[in-house]
Amino acid sequence: MMVEDGDELFNYMLNDLKGGIQHGVLVANLSYALGLACGLSEEEAYELKNAAMVHDVGKLKLSQYLYGRSYRNFSDEEMKYMRMHSKISYDVLKKYDYSDNIMDVVLWHHECFDGSGYPDNLKGDDIPLGARILKVTDEFAALISDRPYRKRFDIDTAVNIMIDEIKNMDMKVFIAFQRMIHEDSTLELIENSRLNLDDLDISDILDI
């Protein structure tokens, strides 16, 4: 990459960081609520919330390699590379004092209930419950958020899209999700989780 592209790359990576924070907060709050709805204790749901906040940290390491691209335009090889992010997140978090449960949720949040997910093709109840919950909230949060290549979907459309992919999810978790998603408290939670970081300066994040 040319040196003169440095500022543009920096801004791209900063926007990735902002997007990651926004997505993490929304997924974390939804995961906490859905965890309680699925029978987790307060402590277990809070631990899941922590896992959800950091589940995509590995994507930040990929920003410079996927610079200027959107998922829609990924080649097969680039998609394989992108699918490494859960393992990269796991490796990054190993340096810190996270519980085994949080680490497992981060590593396996892209496993599918039918065994078609990654990185280990786990199936059914072999996937930790927290990861099955995060699978649902992560996908929903992405669908109701703006992306470079599309505008956000409304809640009903997002749920219908997920129904089309129901084989990827734990049906019991998804039913609990459907029950809570139109509740006033959940709608309020979603709105309160939408952070506006447009004016966030890099000096607010880094000591420079």
Side-chain angles (χ1 to χ4, degrees):
M1 184 173 295
M2 301 289 290
V3 173
E4 55 263 30
D5 290 337
D7 288 343
E8 188 176 352
L9 172 59
F10 179 82
N11 288 330
Y12 177 81
M13 295 177 71
L14 178 58
N15 286 333
D16 260 14
L17 176 59
K18 291 179 180 179
I21 294 171
Q22 290 168 322
H23 180 69
V25 168
L26 178 55
V27 177
N29 288 335
L30 286 170
S31 296
Y32 177 80
L34 183 54
L36 292 176
C38 289
L40 297 186
S41 68
E42 190 84 24
E43 182 179 355
E44 290 168 331
Y46 185 75
E47 191 168 53
L48 176 57
K49 184 176 185 176
N50 287 335
M53 189 65 227
V54 297
H55 74 283
D56 272 346
V57 68
K59 283 186 177 179
L60 298 176
K61 282 184 167 286
L62 299 175
S63 288
Q64 60 183 313
Y65 303 109
L66 301 174
Y67 169 55
R69 309 300 299 277
S70 72
Y71 297 160
R72 171 178 278 181
N73 298 321
F74 280 175
S75 67
D76 289 345
E77 191 62 30
E78 287 167 333
M79 185 55 73
K80 288 180 183 178
Y81 195 53
M82 190 62 194
R83 287 186 170 191
M84 294 170 58
H85 79 268
S86 56
K87 180 61 166 63
I88 295 173
S89 297
Y90 179 87
D91 289 340
V92 168
L93 296 175
K94 279 197 304 187
K95 302 173 185 177
Y96 304 96
D97 191 26
Y98 287 101
S99 69
D100 290 342
N101 182 44
I102 289 178
M103 297 297 291
D104 288 346
V105 169
V106 169
L107 179 61
W108 289 321
H109 73 276
H110 277 295
E111 298 290 353
C112 295
F113 207 68
D114 67 350
S116 64
Y118 61 89
D120 295 317
N121 300 117
L122 298 184
K123 185 176 182 179
D125 292 340
D126 289 339
I127 307 168
L129 177 57
R132 283 179 265 152
I133 292 171
L134 184 53
K135 172 75 175 174
V136 173
T137 56
D138 185 32
E139 182 169 339
F140 176 73
L143 288 169
I144 64 168
S145 300
D146 289 331
R147 289 292 182 261
Y149 51 89
R150 64 156 173 81
K151 299 299 289 182
R152 71 179 67 168
F153 294 106
D154 62 69
I155 289 177
D156 288 334
T157 301
V159 171
N160 287 333
I161 291 172
M162 294 173 71
I163 289 173
D164 289 339
E165 299 293 328
I166 193 62
K167 64 183 178 62
N168 295 334
M169 290 169 274
D170 181 337
M171 182 65 78
K172 292 180 181 178
V173 171
F174 187 72
I175 289 173
F177 166 77
Q178 282 188 300
R179 286 174 178 159
M180 66 168 255
I181 197 56
H182 290 294
E183 294 177 358
D184 289 342
S185 59
T186 306
L187 298 176
E188 183 178 359
L189 174 68
I190 291 171
E191 287 308 309
N192 290 340
S193 299
R194 293 191 187 279
L195 301 184
N196 184 351
L197 301 181
D198 290 343
D199 296 328
L200 182 66
D201 189 85
I202 189 60
S203 61
D204 296 325
I205 303 171
L206 302 176
D207 185 17
I208 58 174

